[in-house]
Amino acid sequence: MLRQMQSYPHSFAGKSLQDIFTSVTATSCPNLLNFHLHTVHSDGKMQPEQIVEQSIDLKASNIAITDHHSISGYQIAETYLKKLASSTGLKLPKLWIGAEMNASLLFTEVHILGYGFDPDHPAMHPYLQGKTTAGVDYQAMSVINALHQADGLAVLAHPVRYRRPPEELIPAAAALGIDGVETYYGYDNSDPWRPSPRQTERVKNLGDRYNLLHTCGTDSHGPKITRRV
């Protein structure tokens, strides 16, 4: 069953994340939605302002910057959007707070995307220090619990990229209370971007079976938000 989200002033104005993820389809990303973007504040090549500008050019409605173990890129983009909102008449995308965190699931390193969390909540402090955690904090259960304590959502990123198959990882993540899976993902780095059909079908079927939300994102690390690299 989906968790009841509480309001958080950084993120929960207008449509909730659950509402948005419930409406995601194979054609949502990257022109309308993009919930997996990296900046120079982790391992990406774009400045936060460039992500904002490219999102405006695409007329995207909702985006999330998901740097690894960091929200500094998000904070810069948020400030830039506020400046644009006060000085231009442009239609601006909704920016959601996000981060991507390494974790151990079934003795396999996976990445967990967090969205809409309160970054000042003590439970999030270990995960926003710019580096992978260790020990108990590194366990997927701990990452998911921390996000929930901070009123956020937890999503298993690119489930077909790991040593273990999604048929093992997704049920295990669901048992720990994860909220969603990154269903629409381009595993072949195609240009233009598109979700990989075979992998998408596997992940969507598993997500539906375990009543999980579906998300999409380009996982951009290069100079364009419409490609992975």
Side-chain angles (χ1 to χ4, degrees):
M1 180 176 289
L2 298 180
R3 297 165 47 252
Q4 183 66 41
M5 297 296 294
Q6 299 178 12
S7 293
Y8 178 62
H10 273 89
S11 321
F12 290 92
K15 261 195 153 184
S16 74
L17 272 174
Q18 286 186 347
D19 291 336
I20 293 167
F21 291 157
T22 299
S23 68
V24 171
T25 69
T27 60
S28 298
C29 187
N31 291 342
L32 182 62
L33 309 175
N34 201 333
F35 280 89
H36 197 162
L37 295 162
H38 295 278
T39 75
V40 295
H41 291 261
S42 61
D43 57 350
K45 292 184 178 178
M46 286 178 284
Q47 297 293 335
E49 296 90 344
Q50 290 177 292
I51 285 181
V52 170
E53 290 164 359
Q54 290 186 32
S55 299
I56 293 171
D57 289 342
L58 283 177
K59 297 182 172 58
S61 64
N62 290 266
I63 62 172
I65 290 176
T66 53
D67 281 319
H68 295 274
H69 297 274
S70 172
I71 60 165
S72 55
Y74 157 80
Q75 291 170 325
I76 292 171
E78 182 186 42
T79 299
Y80 186 55
L81 275 167
K82 288 179 179 176
K83 179 180 177 182
L84 291 176
S86 65
S87 62
T88 75
L90 294 172
K91 185 175 181 179
L92 303 176
K94 168 70 179 175
L95 175 67
W96 299 82
I97 191 168
E100 185 171 15
M101 291 152 282
N102 294 26
S104 177
L105 178 64
L106 297 181
F107 304 101
T108 300
E109 181 163 271
V110 300
H111 292 177
I112 294 176
L113 293 159
Y115 299 109
F117 52 84
D118 177 354
D120 297 319
H121 194 286
M124 290 304 301
H125 291 175
Y127 302 105
L128 301 177
Q129 304 301 316
K131 60 183 180 180
T132 302
T133 54
V136 173
D137 289 336
Y138 178 62
Q139 299 304 308
M141 177 184 292
S142 299
V143 178
I144 294 167
N145 287 344
L147 286 164
H148 289 172
Q149 288 176 52
D151 293 332
L153 289 175
V155 170
L156 181 63
H158 38 66
V160 194
R161 281 185 56 192
Y162 304 117
R163 182 172 57 83
R164 285 181 180 264
E167 288 78 8
E168 296 179 9
L169 293 173
I170 290 175
L176 297 178
I178 205 159
D179 302 285
V181 285
E182 191 174 35
T183 301
Y184 303 104
Y185 186 88
Y187 291 90
D188 55 359
N189 194 38
S190 60
D191 189 11
W193 184 92
R194 65 183 180 91
S196 302
R198 181 173 55 83
Q199 292 92 332
T200 293
E201 183 178 9
R202 288 172 71 187
V203 175
K204 188 172 189 310
N205 288 339
L206 286 161
D208 288 344
R209 185 184 306 171
Y210 292 95
N211 195 31
L212 300 176
L213 296 167
H214 299 288
T215 73
C216 68
T218 57
D219 195 9
S220 297
H221 287 75
K224 295 168 59 179
I225 65 172
T226 53
R227 290 195 66 185
R228 182 167 185 270
V229 294

